[in-house]
Amino acid sequence: MTETQLMVTGQRKLRRLSDPAPAPSRRAGEPTAGRRIGRFFGYVALIVFAIGLLMPFAWMVLSSLKNANEVFSVPVVWWPETFVWQNYIDIWSKSDMLTWIRNTLLLSVVVTCLQVLTGSFAAYGFARMRFRGRDILFLAYIGTIAVPWQSYMIPQFILLSDLKVSNTLWAIILIQAFSAFGVFLMKQYYETIPEELSEAARLDGLSEYGIWRRIMVPLSVPAIASLALLTFVNTWNDYLGPLIYLRDPNLWTIQLGLKSFVSNLFDTNYALLFAGLTISVIPIAIIFLLGQKYFVEGIATSGMKG
């Protein structure tokens, strides 16, 4: 290398050293400062909403451990001075709590099983079968969701009374065994399952019932779990239906039984009532926590078409 070439190379190296270092590029996927701020305020808003939703529940649980005079004291006393665990013993000894829970659990389990069975079976017909007037029939059936129950409550009561099932648990089971929302939820999920699976099963000689039972149902566990969870919660918390049809105290659900404590506004032990309400919430909380994953997945996937 000549002397001139060495001088040119040295000048280039010096020029590179004197140039400012390039700014590091933002890595792909890394959020910007504005997005980080927006996410921070979003989390703050969610925390505030969560606290607002949990405050009544926390007040109910804490009030169940107070004495009767502390529940509605002014100013409000959140933390009880003395934890009255006796309330949870008295609610069992002074009421027919076991019978109420048994009736409510029986209704919730039976209605949930029937809605999952009828909803998934009818949804398969609307999603996979081809017949004249299918879409019109489906829209008419789904349209019943918009009809309030109060509009046909009296004719329904007369019908069940003529069938001699009023004042029995069969009345609640019959009016809740079918759900248009369940059919809609399951149909939306079935449409995300490739139809090639059904075609291949038909070529192998499998009947439509066999396709539903052996292919569609096992592949729709998230949607079934979502429907089962929603149905169980609605049946467990139902008050108006049992109030209309169940007049025998031996058939009361937990909602009707706890309502019997509020017979007189000035003579009600609300601490005891809140203890019973807390007990009634525990099964729902446990079931929701166990099925939360499938519930979110089923609700999210049921709105997709694929």
Side-chain angles (χ1 to χ4, degrees):
M1 185 179 292
T2 62
E3 183 178 355
T4 304
Q5 291 175 338
L6 289 173
M7 292 178 62
V8 173
T9 303
Q11 290 176 355
R12 289 177 179 175
K13 291 181 178 180
L14 291 174
R15 190 177 298 112
R16 290 175 184 174
L17 292 174
S18 61
D19 290 340
S25 59
R26 184 170 61 89
R27 290 181 298 178
E30 183 179 354
T32 61
R35 186 172 298 178
R36 289 176 181 173
I37 296 175
R39 182 178 298 177
F40 170 77
F41 284 107
Y43 286 147
V44 171
L46 290 176
I47 292 173
V48 172
F49 291 149
I51 293 175
L53 291 174
L54 291 175
M55 279 181 63
F57 177 75
W59 186 78
M60 179 187 69
V61 175
L62 292 174
S63 297
S64 67
L65 297 172
K66 300 175 182 177
N67 58 54
N69 296 327
E70 284 184 326
V71 175
F72 293 113
S73 60
V74 180
V76 177
V77 177
W78 280 85
W79 200 260
E81 296 182 1
T82 303
F83 289 92
V84 186
W85 298 101
Q86 186 67 27
N87 290 334
Y88 286 90
I89 300 176
D90 292 342
I91 190 63
W92 290 95
S93 61
K94 295 182 179 180
S95 67
D96 203 1
M97 195 74 170
L98 185 61
T99 301
W100 302 341
I101 293 179
R102 182 192 62 198
N103 293 334
T104 309
L105 185 62
L106 176 63
L107 287 175
S108 300
V109 171
V110 173
V111 169
T112 299
C113 292
L114 287 176
Q115 280 205 20
V116 169
L117 177 64
T118 59
S120 61
F121 197 69
Y124 176 78
F126 285 120
R128 289 290 187 260
M129 305 296 292
R130 300 290 184 268
F131 55 90
R132 182 177 299 179
R134 183 192 64 172
D135 295 337
I136 297 177
L137 180 61
F138 177 73
L139 289 176
Y141 186 54
I142 297 301
T144 59
I145 299 177
V147 180
W149 183 49
Q150 291 78 6
S151 62
Y152 58 89
M153 180 173 59
I154 296 177
Q156 188 179 68
F157 179 81
I158 296 174
L159 175 62
L160 294 178
S161 298
D162 293 339
L163 294 176
K164 308 301 181 183
V165 295
S166 181
N167 198 27
T168 65
L169 296 180
W170 282 108
I172 307 300
I173 294 174
L174 290 176
I175 65 176
Q176 298 189 11
F178 306 93
S179 170
F181 173 77
V183 175
F184 173 77
L185 179 68
M186 296 302 300
K187 177 181 179 295
Q188 293 299 105
Y189 195 92
Y190 283 163
E191 290 181 347
T192 65
I193 300 176
E195 196 167 359
E196 288 78 6
L197 295 176
S198 301
E199 296 294 339
R202 293 189 185 97
L203 293 177
D204 290 339
L206 202 62
S207 64
E208 296 297 332
Y209 173 78
I211 295 173
W212 167 76
R213 181 176 62 87
R214 302 179 63 178
I215 296 178
M216 305 300 287
V217 171
L219 292 178
S220 57
V221 172
I224 291 176
S226 301
L227 177 59
L229 179 60
L230 292 173
T231 305
F232 190 92
V233 172
N234 289 334
T235 308
W236 184 278
N237 293 329
D238 186 23
Y239 173 73
L240 187 58
L243 178 65
I244 295 174
Y245 290 99
L246 304 180
R247 297 179 294 276
D248 187 355
N250 293 324
L251 299 176
W252 282 356
T253 61
I254 193 170
Q255 313 301 333
L256 288 181
L258 293 177
K259 174 61 175 64
S260 65
F261 274 87
V262 194
S263 57
N264 190 334
L265 185 61
F266 301 100
D267 191 27
T268 301
N269 189 340
Y270 282 96
L272 206 63
L273 175 63
F274 288 145
L277 292 174
T278 303
I279 294 175
S280 70
V281 171
I282 292 176
I284 299 298
I286 294 175
I287 292 175
F288 185 82
L289 290 176
L290 293 177
Q292 182 179 9
K293 174 184 175 182
Y294 295 104
F295 175 74
V296 175
E297 182 180 352
I299 293 296
T301 313
S302 298
M304 298 169 57
K305 290 283 189 71

